[in-house]
Every structure is written in structure tokens, then in C-alpha cells.
Amino acid sequence: MSRFEAIRVHQGSTGRFARLESVTLDELTPGDVVVRVAYSSLNYKDALAVTGKGSITRGTPRTAGIDLSGVVESSADPAFRPGDRVLATGAGLGESLDGGLAERARLPASALVRLPDGLSLLEAMALGTAGFTAALALRRLLENHQTPEHGPVAVTGATGGVGGIALGLLKRAGFTTAAITGKPDSAAYLRELGADEVVPRASLATAGKPLETAVWGGAVDNLGGDTLAYLTRTVRPWGNIACIGLAQSPALNITVMPLILRGVSLLGIHSVAVPRAWRLALWEKLAGEWKPRELERLIVRAVIGLEQVPRACEELMAGEARGRYVVRIDETGGGA
Ligand SMILES: NC(=O)c1ccc[n+]([C@@H]2O[C@H](COP(=O)([O-])OP(=O)(O)OC[C@H]3O[C@@H](n4cnc5c(N)ncnc54)[C@H](OP(=O)(O)O)[C@@H]3O)[C@@H](O)[C@H]2O)c1
């Protein structure tokens, strides 16, 4: 059986570590569809897995990578045929299933989405889990009656993958936006992405009364911790906060006052186990009317190879990156 390269997470005596190594399909978690991976991408979760700083994979050894795009090589499921172009984000990849940072993946058909018209294999990974999550957040905000009339929507972790794409999606949907960032020197970039206003994270009040002057119509939060607590105190009546991430902290020290005196809603966003109908509909949106403009120029920080992944993951963990890393594995997906 032929061997191929994969970034595998192992359990060592002092913790987890990842390395590029050669494996066979037999060593992967079971699945009906074999995909030649064209591209993967790096999300915060991948950085946690590859640096060993977070127990992302359920079980070891496991191929890291929560995202992939590529071409079907073989399928025992009638839903896919050899040559089909596909993508996968979340759905257990890089966690309970061997993931996308590899030349091949073997997955259940239920984890795969046919690449929608309007997206290239590279663009699908420029978006990846980050883009899908930002789209899910927008869907949840709209479903809970967020309107531009509420006022500006604050986006935290704005130079990151989810934050940057969320700025563009919100702007396109007619919202005024504010980028809250730890990198105020990136203001020009954030404005290009769709920010109407740039607010240094250091200027936010980190502790205060349960309610402060309400300035934000709503929010998309990637940080958790003090920043999310601040947002609960400053969102206007009936505004929504889409809770996505924990880059600052998983802790949340708030009171119920914003919820019961202002009708503010905290909307949970979970991009892994998403009902399939929502998943398909959101990818169609991302390939069509919600497709971010100039995706490659504005969102892609760099296209790197598998061997550059560990270093890029260190940068992500330090919060230093701007935009998204796409990982090029075999851009033709095996010549298709
Ligand atoms: N719920 C879900 O399903 C889901 C899906 C995707 C991602 N997430 C989570 O959402 C968050 C963002 O993901 P991502 O892929 O966009 O990550 P990313 O590309 O690494 O961006 C994270 C951004 O957060 C800020 N940041 C990083 N470290 C920080 C720290 N220690 N303290 C404060 N701010 C920090 C930085 O932005 P600034 O410098 O501009 O502030 C950074 O660019 C992560 O926590 C991730 O796990 C959750």
C-alpha cells in the first residue's frame, strides 16, 4: 500500500507533539471516501493541536487539520464518485477523524460537501472553518432579528481568520462594523476588510458596572474572557452577541443584567456538528451572495507547505498572525 505524508499528533511522556511523517490509508480512521487533498488551512484549533498546547484530537496518533479541499479518489458511497471536487470543515476532522493536513484523507461521506460552483479548491480553504463559522454567526444574528438599525456590530479578534471574514460578511449584509483588535497598527487593513471603525482592545473597560453605556448594536466575539464580558455590558437593547471563541480565555464573568434589563442575547456558535442542511446552505451562500470580495488578497496571509505548518502554528498561538494560512498539498488534487 502506498505511503503518503501527514502531520500526525502523538502522545509523548511529557505531553502531545506533532510531526510530519509517512503513513498508509490503513492507519487512518475508517471512512467510505478517499480524498486526494489539494489544500488545507490553519485555524486556531489546528494551532492548539500542532503545538501540543491543547488536547484537540480525540485519541492519538491522529492526523491534524480540521479543514480540507480536494478531489475524490475512490468512494464506496454512491453520494460521491472519483473526480468529484469536495471540501470538509469541522465534522470531526482532526478531532475524532483523521484530518486534512495530509496528502490523503479517508472520511465518511457525511463529512464531505461537494465544492459549490463559484469557489475554487483554494478559495474553499481561504474560507475554511473560519469562513464557515463567520457565516454561521451571521445566520444566527439575522435569525435573531439583528438589523443594521441596532447600531454597529463589534467584531473581536478582528485580524484573525474568523474576525476578518466576519467583518466583510457583516459589511456586505448592510451592517456598520467596528473592529476591536490587539493590533491597532493594522487599522488600514481592517478598514479594507470592512471595518468602519477600529478600536484598540487595550482601550476597553475591563471591569465595571453590570451595565455600561450601550454603544454596540451587537457583536461577534472570538475571544471570550474579559472582552466578551465587556461586550455584554455595552450591547444595546435586543442586540445579539455571537459567541465563537476563547482566544483570550474560556472564562466568562458576567451578570444576568444585560440579558434581563436589555434583552441582550448570547448566541452559541458551534461549527463542528452542524445540521447538514445548514452546512450545505451556508457553503452555497459563501460561494455566492456572501462570497467575500478579494478573498485571496485580503484573507490569505500566505500559502505554505506541510513542512511550514509547525512554525505558522506557533505564530497563531502567539496571536501574531493576520489573516489565514492556506496549506498547499497538491493543488490539482491529483491531476484532476
Ligand atoms: N465556535 C466554533 O465553532 C469556532 C470555530 C472557529 C474558531 N473558533 C474560535 O474562535 C477563535 C478565533 O479563531 P481563528 O481561527 O479566527 O483564530 P486566529 O486566526 O488565530 O485569530 C485569533 C485572533 O484573536 C486575537 N488573539 C489571539 N490571541 C489572543 C489573546 N491571547 N488574547 C487576546 N486576543 C487574542 C488576535 O486578533 P487581534 O490581535 O486582532 O485582537 C488573533 O488574530 C479561537 O478561539 C477559535 O478556537 C471557534
Side-chain angles (χ1 to χ4, degrees):
M1 178 161 283
S2 66
R3 304 190 71 81
F4 58 91
E5 297 288 295
I7 294 189
R8 302 276 281 175
V9 178
H10 294 268
Q11 182 67 51
S13 55
T14 56
R16 290 188 173 195
F17 67 95
R19 68 178 177 222
L20 187 59
E21 62 192 38
S22 138
V23 288
T24 63
L25 278 178
D26 275 355
E27 294 172 66
L28 303 186
T29 44
D32 283 337
V33 188
V34 175
V35 179
R36 289 186 80 97
V37 181
Y39 295 95
S40 183
S41 79
L42 297 183
N43 300 278
Y44 193 81
K45 219 181 215 179
D46 300 310
L48 284 169
V50 170
T51 58
K53 293 197 170 88
S55 296
I56 299 300
T57 65
R58 304 218 191 104
T60 53
R62 174 97 350 116
T63 306
I66 66 173
D67 294 343
L68 65 78
S69 65
V71 178
V72 171
E73 185 175 74
S74 65
S75 176
D77 188 300
F80 293 100
R81 288 193 308 201
D84 285 349
R85 286 153 35 111
V86 292
L87 65 85
T89 60
L93 271 74
E95 299 189 59
S96 55
L97 303 172
D98 281 302
L101 286 169
E103 292 174 315
R104 303 266 182 80
R106 181 169 69 176
L107 295 168
S110 58
L112 293 167
V113 171
R114 200 173 291 280
L115 189 74
D117 289 343
L119 279 186
S120 67
L121 290 167
L122 188 149
E123 286 173 331
M125 287 298 98
L127 292 165
T129 284
F132 180 74
T133 305
L136 184 56
L138 176 59
R139 174 185 163 131
R140 297 271 280 142
L141 291 173
L142 295 173
E143 281 173 348
N144 213 36
H145 311 291
Q146 187 77 36
T147 65
E149 287 67 41
H150 279 96
V153 177
V155 176
T156 64
T159 63
V162 178
I165 297 171
L167 282 170
L169 290 183
L170 286 161
K171 189 73 189 162
R172 199 140 172 202
F175 291 92
T176 304
T177 61
I180 297 181
T181 182
K183 307 184 192 82
D185 55 339
S186 294
Y189 170 70
L190 291 165
R191 286 183 190 280
E192 244 195 313
L193 283 173
D196 294 295
E197 186 185 348
V198 177
V199 180
R201 191 170 65 240
S203 71
L204 305 181
T206 51
K209 296 180 242 163
L211 295 173
E212 295 172 33
T213 306
V215 287
W216 307 119
V220 172
D221 179 62
N222 292 298
L223 302 190
D226 287 345
T227 303
L228 176 54
Y230 157 83
L231 291 170
T232 67
R233 302 193 299 269
T234 53
V235 163
R236 289 180 182 158
W238 301 108
N240 297 285
I241 304 171
C243 303
I244 294 178
L246 41 53
Q248 187 171 54
S249 168
L252 182 56
N253 183 14
I254 64 170
T255 74
V256 297
M257 296 307 189
L259 286 68
I260 65 175
L261 295 182
R262 287 182 175 162
V264 168
S265 295
L266 293 178
L267 305 178
I269 306 296
H270 171 61
S271 61
V272 177
V274 178
R276 187 159 175 84
W278 297 15
R279 192 181 282 285
L280 297 179
L282 285 171
W283 276 111
E284 286 301 326
K285 288 272 193 197
L286 282 168
E289 60 182 303
W290 288 6
K291 184 174 176 180
R293 66 187 175 84
E294 297 192 77
L295 186 52
E296 285 184 51
R297 183 177 75 81
L298 289 176
I299 297 296
V300 179
R301 174 173 179 73
V303 181
I304 61 174
L306 276 176
E307 65 290 346
Q308 293 162 285
V309 164
R311 194 182 142 83
C313 286
E314 294 288 351
E315 196 185 61
L316 285 180
M317 286 313 300
E320 288 164 4
R322 194 173 94 169
R324 284 178 46 73
Y325 281 107
V326 170
V327 183
R328 178 188 284 122
I329 294 165
D330 175 354
E331 60 194 317
T332 65

